[in-house]
Amino acid sequence: MVRNIRLTIAYDGTEFSGWQVQNNARTVQGDIEEALGRMHGHPVRIQGAGRTDSGVHASGQVGNFFSDLDSIDPRRWHIALNSYLPPDVRALAGCEAPETFNAKNSARQRVYRYYLYTGIVGPPHLRLYCWKIRRRPDLRALNALASVFLGEHEFTTFAAAGDVSRSKVRRVDTACFFPEGPFICFKVAASSFVWKMVRSILGTILEYEQKAESPAALAEALRARDRSRAGMSAPARGLFLERVKYDG
């Protein structure tokens, strides 16, 4: 009997060239498929909800694959798989999903968090999981700028040059900054994202806040559909795919 297995997956993206399988590069999908192949005795493909970039982390990625192994309880698939995975990738939970479930196409919302560390000296054990900036930005100004992105917009301005999306229209449901421990956290949730959109938005917001530019000026840049109007992109190391939401 073939079953559709759904997994919640976490990984430290530092040593990976992103999620998606690539030739001659280590990827999260590649490591998981190699482990699944060893378990099944034949190739098994896993579909991920989000194609995180090189260096981006995940605490709540979702993937699904079809398995003809009937000896493993679907609720224990994550435990079985972890014994074949390297220590920087872990399946956190598993279950059997309906045959029609697809981790990417069934997703209704993807939630990311980005961690900023403000201070003169950053703790070395956090250096791979946040972006250290040497100032304390104004949270009120950051949130006023972030509100520009709420709703449905065309995001050509904030798409990487190599983005191949046929449409760059996306709906952003959440975009806000708040303190969390020693960090300022940027949380953004959307139906989906164009390539490197979160990092481009964050870098631009910080640039506009530092220059005391208005939300109206940022809204004009968004409407311009001109990549040159965006600021620098934030580095990958502070970004986490936190959660993927589905109907029900």
Side-chain angles (χ1 to χ4, degrees):
M1 179 177 67
V2 176
R3 296 178 296 184
N4 191 6
I5 305 299
R6 168 177 164 175
L7 297 174
T8 302
I9 303 162
Y11 45 87
D12 178 339
T14 305
E15 301 297 328
F16 290 102
S17 296
W19 165 269
Q20 190 173 17
V21 168
Q22 301 175 37
N23 293 328
N24 304 314
R26 186 184 178 215
T27 66
V28 181
Q29 183 183 19
D31 274 18
I32 295 175
E33 290 185 354
E34 191 274 335
L36 290 171
R38 290 166 59 198
M39 296 175 72
H40 287 80
H42 59 77
V44 175
R45 176 176 171 77
I46 186 167
Q47 173 68 63
R51 296 192 297 178
T52 52
D53 294 328
S54 178
V56 175
H57 316 289
S59 55
Q61 171 76 279
V62 175
N64 77 286
F65 62 94
F66 288 90
S67 174
D68 55 9
L69 287 179
D70 57 10
S71 58
I72 302 175
D73 184 325
R75 294 167 296 180
R76 297 184 62 82
W77 245 107
H78 61 297
I79 297 173
L81 179 60
N82 283 338
S83 63
Y84 290 83
L85 289 173
D88 49 359
V89 187
R90 280 292 173 265
L92 304 180
C95 65
E96 184 173 356
E99 184 179 355
T100 56
F101 175 81
N102 179 284
K104 177 184 177 181
N105 297 333
S106 301
R108 293 292 175 261
Q109 189 183 72
R110 294 158 175 87
V111 184
Y112 282 86
R113 286 195 185 212
Y114 196 104
Y115 291 92
L116 297 165
Y117 187 91
T118 60
I120 302 300
V121 179
H125 65 285
L126 299 177
R127 72 190 187 283
L128 300 177
Y129 311 104
C130 64
W131 182 18
K132 188 182 80 64
I133 57 176
R134 294 174 63 107
R135 64 187 184 86
R136 184 78 179 180
D138 183 331
L139 274 176
R140 186 171 298 177
L142 291 178
N143 278 312
L145 291 164
S147 69
V148 167
F149 298 101
L150 294 174
E152 188 170 273
H153 303 283
E154 213 280 1
F155 280 94
T156 295
T157 300
F158 298 95
D163 184 85
V164 295
S165 305
R166 284 181 291 180
S167 170
K168 293 179 175 57
V169 175
R170 298 293 188 271
R171 186 195 74 247
V172 175
D173 302 312
T174 301
C176 62
F177 291 83
F178 52 89
E180 185 175 292
F183 305 104
I184 290 177
C185 181
F186 175 51
K187 182 176 182 178
V188 57
S191 53
S192 62
F193 297 87
V194 296
W195 191 24
K196 298 185 179 180
M197 173 176 154
V198 176
R199 292 160 56 194
S200 179
I201 285 175
L202 175 60
T204 304
I205 288 175
L206 288 171
E207 185 175 303
Y208 272 62
E209 182 272 337
Q210 188 171 28
K211 295 178 178 178
E213 296 274 5
S214 68
L218 183 57
E220 182 182 340
L222 174 61
R223 290 192 297 268
R225 304 185 184 185
D226 179 357
R227 183 70 185 89
S228 68
R229 299 287 295 273
M232 68 171 288
S233 290
R237 62 181 176 271
L239 184 59
F240 289 75
L241 174 54
E242 179 190 55
R243 186 180 179 191
V244 184
K245 298 183 179 181
Y246 299 89
D247 287 342

